[in-house]
Amino acid sequence: AHQPVSVYRTGAWERLRLWRRRNPVVASLSLFLAVSLLTGSVVSTLFGLAASREAKRANTEADNAIRERTKAVELSQANATLALKEKSAREKAVLNAERADAKTDEARRHLYSTHMNLVNRNWEIPHVGLVLDLLKKTQPQPGETDLRSFEWHFWDRLCDSFLLNLKGHTSAVWSVAFSRDGKRLASAGDDKTVKVWDVMSGQEMLTLKGHTGEVTSVTFSPDGTRLASASGDQTVKVWEVAGGQEKFTLKGHTDRIMSVAFSADGKRLASASSDQTVKLWDATSGHETLTLKGHTGVVTSVAFSADGKRLASASHDRTVKVWDATSGQETLTLKGHIGVVTSVSFSPDGKRLASASDDWTVKVWDATTGQGTLALKGHTNAVTCVAFSPDGKRLASAGWDWTVKVWDATTGQETMTLKGHTGVVTSFSFSADGKRLASASGDWTVKVWDATNGQEPLTLKGHTRAVWSVTFCTDGKRLASASDDGTVKLWDATSGQETLTLKGHTVTVNSVSFSADGKRLASASVDQTVKVWDTTSGQETLTLKGHNGSVTSVAFCADGKWLASASHDGTVKVWDATSGQETLTLEGHSLLVTSVAFSPDGKRLASASWDRTVKVWDTTSGQETLTLKGHSREVWSVAFSPDGKRLASASWDATVKVWDATSGQEALTLKGHINAVSSVAFSPDGKRLASASWDGTVRVWDARPWTPELRAEREALSLIHWLRDQDKPQSEWLDAIAADQTLTEPVRQRALQFARDWK
């Protein structure tokens, strides 16, 4: 109104009030909004504070959870570490246990090998008692691995090669004698008695007493009605067998009488004495008729030949002398025992002479030439007496081990020896069933033998030069042979017919080997090659070249995938048998390699060399794992046993050695060949080992444990050989076997079978 007014600067609250009055709606909304915001802020703050508290609590719980989880992880890690330590400790304990077991096993194997070598040495001495002790020590205890193999069973068989063991004397037995019918056996003892035994049952039938000193000798009269006995009391007594009554006493020697013998007609008696003489007596009157002088020591034994024309005597001077029983002239002196000769006996046919010695052996000699034919070992002390059975099939011996032993007089404890080749035997092979054995020879032939009885049923002719190798196919129906004539021939193993001639090599073929399926044949030659042939068509499928010397040996592995060859270049090569590619060359021998053989599982390869060693190789890496040393001359052949545990080697030193194929320890040395051994092989069951030699023979070394069936087989075979040696026609064999009342039924049946099958 154009009037003066009072003016002042308004504050913020005043302006806000005025603005609110002018703008009530906006102010209300603003106020509402402000209050809402404030309320929201308060609420949010409250919620924030609550959330913060919850977050803090959650964080605390999370921290706690993390700490718990960390503790759990740390505990888990600690437990895991502990578990690992425990596992490591367990593994270490197991490893240590395995190492300890391995060391124990290695020690046991080494000890076993040592024992087997001691067995070999003690057998050679011979000290059979120690041999038996060592064999007993090597028997496994419950839970132990049985380390025994071919060599143990070989020795065990030799120590148990007698047929009967008669016990009854209370001290040393000095003499034994069979009755003429072979049903009774008389023995004289240090216990001053004479005993009469039933030979079949081993039962004691009679005991004769009367001598005042040890009874040193006993003999039956030819008719079996009388017994004569000699004694340390310087007398000879004659007894009636029926009642055991003493008939008369002979006196004349000036020292103890060591032996007494009837002549074949029963009219004369001979006695041997410590006074170094032999006296002959009239057996009816008791008068002395002749005194024989010539020995330089105590005369221990005397025996008439079957015809009464010769007289044999044994002495402390280690000799056996043969005399003319009529004139008293000395005709032969036999030397060979390394100890005192204690007893002597003629075989019934007069062709053989047996002697016993305190060197613990019995020897059998050719009574005409004086050549030794058998050496029987088994007594565990001095052998004091020996006697043939009336049929000549058995031999009885007794000694200071207080036992009487009865032996097979034809084979003794010798291995089967196959004779028939007229040249060196270069190679041989068992059939898959082990019943046949084929041999190759420098006489240009291959022979097939019955591996049970040694009979030669087939001779294969066709090669025009020496045959160097022979092998059976796995089916047993075919044979392959390799020759100096440059050919390989395949034969029907049953009929002996030649079915194929394989030509391709330009010179000598040294070795042949069938694949496991029989569809392929490998051959090795002097032309430095290996050839692989199809055995059905005869076609050459591969020629392997790589050696720079004559290839001496070839062998397929068991699955037929690989082929190994040995050469004069001193190497062994392994080839892929399908492609012919060379996969390994094994070098290590210092001279030519003569033979090669895969282990049954194909993981190892053995090679033999002129460097006198056998080497064993790993077929995967080609690494040399063993070198076997022991032969004194070149090694010609090597073979694994079917279980792969043993390795056999043949050498120019005339021996066969058997080795532990794991440790390389020598387990056995077999002696018997008189010339180089050219080939060696185990039978399919691993219980026999055969060796071929330049002495013209094949020997089969037997390690089969004795069973009643095997004993019956041996006795039956001995009888067949005896019938053959007596020149009895084969048509009479069956009747002779049926009529022999001394045979047990198992022996009779086996002998009849042999007689029917013999060719």
Side-chain angles (χ1 to χ4, degrees):
H2 304 286
Q3 293 294 320
V5 295
S6 297
V7 179
Y8 58 90
R9 185 175 296 276
T10 58
W13 286 105
E14 180 64 19
R15 289 193 298 273
L16 178 62
R17 182 183 63 79
L18 292 174
W19 179 82
R20 177 177 175 277
R21 190 169 60 185
R22 287 192 298 268
N23 302 287
V25 175
V26 173
S28 297
L29 291 173
S30 296
L31 180 62
F32 176 78
L33 179 60
V35 171
S36 297
L37 288 172
L38 180 60
T39 302
S41 296
V42 172
V43 171
S44 296
T45 299
L46 292 175
F47 276 111
L49 292 172
S52 177
R53 287 194 300 272
E54 186 66 24
K56 187 175 181 180
R57 185 181 65 80
N59 287 336
T60 301
E61 291 179 353
D63 289 342
N64 291 336
I66 289 171
R67 283 194 295 271
E68 291 297 323
R69 182 175 179 277
T70 301
K71 289 180 180 179
V73 169
E74 289 175 350
L75 180 61
S76 176
Q77 289 175 341
N79 289 336
T81 301
L82 181 61
L84 287 173
K85 288 181 179 179
E86 290 178 350
K87 182 180 179 182
S88 177
R90 286 196 302 271
E91 290 176 346
K92 188 175 182 179
V94 170
L95 183 60
N96 288 336
E98 289 176 347
R99 287 175 177 171
D101 289 343
K103 288 183 178 179
T104 301
D105 186 61
E106 183 181 356
R108 285 190 64 231
R109 288 181 181 278
H110 182 73
L111 182 61
Y112 173 84
S113 297
T114 301
H115 281 159
M116 288 300 100
N117 282 316
L118 288 173
V119 165
N120 198 82
R121 293 175 189 174
N122 281 290
W123 183 264
E124 292 295 327
I125 292 174
H127 200 311
V128 180
L130 286 178
V131 169
L132 292 170
D133 287 343
L134 288 165
L135 291 178
K136 186 175 181 180
K137 286 179 180 178
T138 51
Q139 292 179 339
Q141 298 300 313
E144 287 185 341
T145 303
D146 191 350
L147 300 179
R148 296 175 299 172
S149 191
F150 179 90
E151 64 284 343
W152 192 96
H153 295 290
F154 177 80
W155 291 122
D156 184 59
R157 183 183 176 94
L158 286 189
C159 289
D160 189 24
S161 57
F162 46 82
L163 306 176
L164 280 177
N165 212 19
L166 310 179
K167 298 181 179 180
H169 286 286
T170 58
S171 58
V173 183
W174 289 100
S175 179
V176 286
F178 280 100
S179 62
R180 176 61 66 88
D181 60 10
K183 295 180 179 180
R184 289 166 295 173
L185 185 71
S187 58
D190 203 42
D191 56 11
K192 303 178 183 179
T193 68
V194 173
K195 291 184 179 291
V196 180
W197 312 79
D198 181 284
V199 171
M200 298 309 297
S201 67
Q203 294 297 309
E204 182 181 326
M205 300 170 61
L206 193 64
T207 298
L208 308 180
K209 299 178 180 180
H211 284 292
T212 58
E214 72 276 13
V215 186
T216 55
S217 180
V218 65
T219 184
F220 279 97
S221 63
D223 60 9
T225 62
R226 292 170 293 165
L227 264 174
S229 59
S231 172
D233 62 15
Q234 301 182 18
T235 68
V236 172
K237 290 184 180 292
V238 179
W239 313 77
E240 293 288 348
V241 173
Q245 297 298 312
E246 181 182 328
K247 189 172 181 181
F248 56 82
T249 301
L250 308 180
K251 298 179 181 180
H253 283 291
T254 59
D255 206 337
R256 67 199 299 253
I257 304 176
M258 305 297 295
S259 178
V260 65
F262 274 104
S263 62
D265 58 9
K267 295 179 179 180
R268 288 176 296 169
L269 268 171
S271 59
S273 171
S274 293
D275 62 16
Q276 301 185 11
T277 67
V278 174
K279 289 184 180 293
L280 273 70
W281 312 79
D282 184 299
T284 304
S285 66
H287 288 100
E288 179 184 329
T289 60
L290 196 60
T291 299
L292 310 179
K293 298 179 180 180
H295 283 293
T296 58
V298 172
V299 188
T300 54
S301 180
V302 67
F304 279 100
S305 62
D307 58 10
K309 295 180 180 180
R310 290 171 296 167
L311 191 68
S313 58
S315 171
H316 278 201
D317 61 15
R318 301 183 182 181
T319 68
V320 174
K321 290 185 181 291
V322 181
W323 314 78
D324 184 297
T326 303
S327 66
Q329 293 297 308
E330 179 184 327
T331 60
L332 195 63
T333 298
L334 311 179
K335 299 178 181 179
H337 284 289
I338 60 174
V340 168
V341 187
T342 55
S343 180
V344 66
S345 174
F346 273 102
S347 62
D349 59 8
K351 295 180 180 179
R352 291 169 294 167
L353 195 61
S355 59
S357 171
D358 68 358
D359 64 11
W360 301 14
T361 69
V362 173
K363 291 184 182 291
V364 181
W365 314 77
D366 184 299
T368 302
T369 64
Q371 293 296 311
T373 60
L374 283 179
L376 310 179
K377 301 174 184 179
H379 282 286
T380 58
N381 212 320
V383 189
T384 54
C385 53
V386 66
F388 278 97
S389 63
D391 59 9
K393 293 184 293 185
R394 285 173 291 179
L395 195 64
S397 61
W400 283 10
D401 56 9
W402 298 12
T403 66
V404 177
K405 297 186 185 297
V406 181
W407 313 78
D408 183 309
T410 305
T411 61
Q413 51 192 245
E414 286 280 298
T415 58
M416 183 188 295
T417 301
L418 311 180
K419 299 179 180 179
H421 283 294
T422 57
V424 300
V425 184
T426 55
S427 173
F428 65 90
S429 173
F430 275 103
S431 61
D433 59 9
K435 294 181 179 179
R436 290 172 297 167
L437 192 146
S439 59
S441 173
D443 63 10
W444 304 7
T445 70
V446 172
K447 290 184 181 291
V448 182
W449 312 80
D450 186 307
T452 302
N453 57 35
Q455 187 180 356
E456 177 197 329
L458 284 177
T459 297
L460 313 181
K461 298 179 180 180
H463 285 293
T464 58
R465 298 288 297 275
V467 187
W468 289 106
S469 180
V470 65
T471 184
F472 268 101
C473 182
T474 50
D475 61 10
K477 296 178 181 180
R478 292 170 295 169
L479 269 173
S481 59
S483 172
D484 211 18
D485 62 14
T487 69
V488 173
K489 290 185 181 290
L490 271 70
W491 312 80
D492 183 300
T494 303
S495 67
Q497 293 298 308
E498 180 183 324
T499 59
L500 279 176
T501 297
L502 311 179
K503 299 179 179 180
H505 288 293
T506 56
V507 283
T508 298
V509 186
N510 289 319
S511 177
V512 283
S513 175
F514 276 104
S515 61
D517 58 10
K519 295 179 180 180
R520 291 170 296 168
L521 184 73
S523 58
S525 172
V526 174
D527 64 13
Q528 303 184 12
T529 69
V530 173
K531 290 184 182 290
V532 180
W533 313 80
D534 183 295
T535 58
T536 302
S537 65
Q539 293 298 308
E540 178 185 325
T541 60
L542 284 175
T543 296
L544 312 180
K545 298 179 180 180
H547 285 294
N548 55 22
S550 170
V551 188
T552 54
S553 179
V554 66
F556 276 100
C557 68
D559 60 10
K561 293 180 180 178
W562 310 103
L563 196 62
S565 58
S567 171
H568 278 197
D569 62 16
T571 69
V572 174
K573 290 184 182 290
V574 180
W575 314 78
D576 183 303
T578 303
S579 67
Q581 291 298 308
E582 180 184 325
T583 61
L584 283 175
T585 296
L586 311 179
E587 298 178 343
H589 285 293
S590 59
L591 291 173
L592 62 90
V593 187
T594 53
S595 178
V596 67
F598 279 100
S599 62
D601 60 7
K603 295 180 179 179
R604 291 169 295 168
L605 190 67
S607 57
S609 170
W610 275 27
D611 63 12
R612 305 181 182 182
T613 70
V614 173
K615 290 184 181 290
V616 180
W617 313 79
D618 183 294
T619 56
T620 303
S621 65
Q623 293 298 307
E624 178 185 325
T625 60
L626 286 175
T627 297
L628 312 180
K629 298 179 180 180
H631 285 293
S632 59
R633 293 289 304 275
E634 299 88 339
V635 188
W636 279 95
S637 178
V638 67
F640 276 98
S641 62
D643 60 7
K645 294 180 179 179
R646 293 293 180 267
L647 194 62
S649 57
S651 170
W652 198 283
D653 63 14
T655 70
V656 173
K657 289 184 182 290
V658 179
W659 312 80
D660 184 308
T662 302
S663 67
Q665 293 292 315
E666 182 181 325
L668 180 65
T669 298
L670 302 173
K671 300 177 181 179
H673 287 294
I674 59 175
N675 208 327
V677 188
S678 54
S679 183
V680 67
F682 283 94
S683 62
D685 62 5
K687 294 179 180 178
R688 287 172 295 167
L689 182 66
S691 55
S693 170
W694 282 39
D695 62 14
T697 68
V698 174
R699 285 179 178 259
V700 182
W701 312 85
D702 207 329
R704 293 175 295 174
W706 281 119
T707 62
E709 293 75 19
L710 280 177
R711 288 191 182 276
E713 179 179 288
R714 186 181 70 162
E715 287 193 62
L717 186 58
S718 174
L719 174 58
I720 294 296
H721 285 161
W722 181 80
L723 290 170
R724 182 192 61 187
D725 293 342
Q726 298 303 306
D727 295 327
K728 287 184 177 292
Q730 191 170 344
S731 58
E732 297 180 8
W733 289 5
L734 293 175
D735 292 338
I737 295 168
D740 192 336
Q741 298 302 309
T742 66
L743 302 178
T744 62
E745 197 56 31
V747 174
R748 187 188 313 281
Q749 293 303 319
R750 196 73 178 96
L752 289 172
Q753 181 182 343
F754 276 140
R756 285 190 292 266
D757 297 342
W758 201 270
K759 297 178 182 179

